[in-house]
Amino acid sequence: MITVLTGGTGGAKFVDGLRQIVPPEELTIIVNTGDDLLWWGLYVSPDLDSITYMLAGKLSQERGWGVKGDTFFCLNAMGQMGQPTWFHAGDRDLATHIFRSKLLADGKTLSEATSEIASKLGVKVRVLPMSNSRVETRVLTPAGDLSFEEYFVQRWYQDPVVSVRFAGASDAEPAPGAIEAIRSADIVLLAPSNPVTSIAPILAVPGIREALRESRARTVAVSPIVGGAAVTGPAGILMAAQKFAVSIAGVADFYHDFLDLLVVDSQDATAAEELRSTGMQVHCAPTVMHKNEDRIALAKSVLDAAMQPPPAPAAVERA
Ligand code: GDP
């Protein structure tokens, strides 16, 4: 059994590779909901949507978000009515937001709504939000205390970042099944997602980090930092703001208390050697996913590495 913790961009590409080589009943995906927002009064969960669309084969590959081939008539009409349009929701995508909002208004939990949407889209993999409670990633900048989507989408992550916090996390509970999925997994994978704004919100839900520390599973992360920079987006800026090195060592540090193995890109081979000397297990592979074959190859390589027996302690000392 494999459990994956993920955000919605690098994470979605990685999940796409996994879904092509792992039977659906062996996969559970725990998804960041720190980016969720109310948009035109609708409950939107960007990472849950990206992962669900990816698993359903509906994610727009060009945009990396939203539904393939979608149209934007509603967005244009809302603009004509003077409504904000900086968050782009396509017409088919809106059906998901309307349906989820209806389910929540009917008293369903976010987990129930997520599994209902997934099942209507033909997704067999189990997709869980990190929590049914509202946990909101807030980015403090000189321009104000912003939601993640305001910082990322509306303002193009141009503001200097003072700090990041997860409002509501201390009172949140993990979604039903999330702790069990971590505890009972053979392998737990941290997708190549933004450590600060995609994985850290999941880890901030009380009980999840402890479950990772205590799990008997091999816990393996794929670095979103390649050659000293994020492949896409603000992960580097945010890691630096949190006083982490923008490097594979910084990623290892971020997950230090539970990580068994870090998968890094082949171009980081020298840095990998240095990291091994600290006792961290590191596997090098091509991790930048341009094409579908790259996604499948990375998923295979990560699972192969995860299934190798860990080196004997003496070998670690010698390394
Ligand atoms: P978000 O929820 O939309 O922020 O998406 P994620 O957190 O899942 O993805 C963003 C992260 O994915 C960034 O930190 C990128 O560096 C990383 N990323 C994107 N594409 C790739 C890729 O092809 N390979 C690797 N290793 N990382 C990637």
Side-chain angles (χ1 to χ4, degrees), residues 295-319:
R295 298 173 184 194
I296 297 173
L298 178 59
K300 279 189 182 142
S301 174
V302 169
L303 293 184
D304 284 351
M307 284 186 284
Q308 295 297 316
V316 172
E317 276 164 29
R318 273 200 310 276

Side-chain angles (χ1 to χ4, degrees), residues 190-234:
L190 279 80
S193 285
N194 188 325
V196 182
T197 53
S198 289
I199 304 294
I202 306 178
L203 302 178
V205 177
I208 292 198
R209 198 157 196 142
E210 292 71 15
L212 286 163
R213 283 196 204 117
E214 288 160 13
S215 173
R216 62 182 181 83
R218 284 269 280 164
T219 304
V220 181
V222 182
S223 176
I225 302 293
V226 173
V231 179
T232 58

